[in-house]
Amino acid sequence: MLEVIRFVMKIFMSLFYRVKYYGVENIPEEGGYLLCCNHISDLDVIVIGLKIKRKVHWMAKEELFKVPVLAQLIKKLGAYPVARGKGDDRAKQKTMDLLKEEKIVGIFPQGTRTKGKNKDEIKAKYGAAKFAIESGKPVFPVGISGGEKLFSRINLVYGKPYVIEGEEGKEYTKDDYQRISQKIVDDIYKMLEDTVNGNSSC
């Protein structure tokens, strides 16, 4: 079913958007990792996944799972629910379990869509850094921009994976994790700007 949906989505995106991919060679072909991306629209998960051959298990807001048909679809695609702003222990454990099983977990560090908002006004949540440090799995940074309307261009940049080395014996606080998550987000925006601006003639 995943391949069928991927095929349909490829046709949809080719008809209604102009997607420019950068850094496809950086996509890891094996192993578990935490895919971290800025969040613009509901199309993000579709565009990002089209170049990744494996299933991405996206952490998605629990409201989406209250719509019967949609819930069944996104579950088959690998999504799992999280109760935002409530300290959802089940979602946290699910994330750690997936990473230990060498799966790909997709997460938006800022926790919400930022379309139409100044990126400096949206702060990262602490979860991305916590998962990365506690699991020891690489962070795979992805940046996305554009796509504000039909037939517009979408730029998607896949960065190079890297591991965040935790300090041995250090007890991290939420503030510590939040600062590290914020750096992940800031680096994603810088990567996106440097890549797209540097290839503006493409």
Side-chain angles (χ1 to χ4, degrees):
M1 181 177 183
L2 181 60
E3 288 306 316
V4 174
I5 294 174
R6 189 191 300 271
F7 177 73
V8 173
M9 289 299 99
K10 281 183 177 179
I11 294 176
F12 172 82
M13 295 306 300
S14 65
L15 288 174
F16 297 106
Y17 292 92
R18 295 179 294 112
V19 185
K20 178 67 175 180
Y21 290 96
Y22 303 91
V24 176
E25 68 278 5
N26 294 325
I27 301 174
E29 295 184 355
E30 58 185 20
Y33 59 86
L34 192 68
L35 190 163
C36 294
C37 185
N38 61 309
H39 193 14
I40 296 177
S41 75
D42 292 333
L43 287 176
D44 294 348
V45 297
I46 296 173
V47 183
I48 293 168
L50 289 181
K51 291 294 183 179
I52 300 176
K53 297 178 181 179
R54 299 160 59 199
K55 179 186 289 186
V56 180
H57 298 266
W58 287 97
M59 181 184 285
K61 59 184 180 182
E62 64 177 354
E63 290 82 1
L64 297 178
F65 293 84
K66 295 178 181 179
V67 183
V69 176
L70 178 61
Q72 291 301 313
L73 176 61
I74 61 178
K75 283 180 181 178
K76 289 183 181 297
L77 291 174
Y80 60 100
V82 59
R84 296 186 298 180
K86 298 180 181 179
D88 191 334
D89 291 332
R90 286 187 300 177
K92 294 175 184 177
Q93 188 59 53
K94 176 69 172 178
T95 301
M96 293 300 294
D97 289 344
L98 287 168
L99 291 171
K100 289 177 182 177
E101 293 167 8
E102 303 299 328
K103 306 294 185 183
I104 306 171
V105 173
I107 186 172
F108 298 111
Q110 294 159 306
T112 186
R113 287 176 292 180
T114 58
K115 181 178 179 180
K117 299 178 181 179
N118 188 315
K119 63 182 177 64
D120 297 325
E121 298 174 353
I122 307 297
K123 301 302 180 183
K125 308 297 182 183
Y126 72 92
K130 181 177 175 66
F131 295 137
I133 291 175
E134 292 190 354
S135 71
K137 298 298 184 181
V139 168
F140 178 43
V142 179
I144 189 168
S145 67
E148 289 82 3
K149 55 185 179 180
L150 289 176
F151 308 111
S152 62
R153 175 164 164 170
I154 296 175
N155 297 299
L156 187 67
V157 182
Y158 297 105
K160 295 182 178 181
Y162 61 92
V163 174
I164 301 176
E165 299 288 352
E167 296 181 32
E168 186 175 351
K170 177 178 175 62
E171 293 186 8
Y172 287 86
T173 65
K174 284 188 177 181
D175 287 341
D176 291 329
Y177 285 129
Q178 194 278 329
R179 282 192 292 272
I180 298 171
S181 289
Q182 188 62 50
K183 186 176 188 309
I184 293 174
V185 171
D186 292 342
D187 288 347
I188 287 173
Y189 279 117
K190 185 177 188 306
M191 173 187 73
L192 183 63
E193 291 172 3
D194 289 349
T195 303
V196 175
N197 291 341
N199 293 273
S200 58
S201 61
C202 296

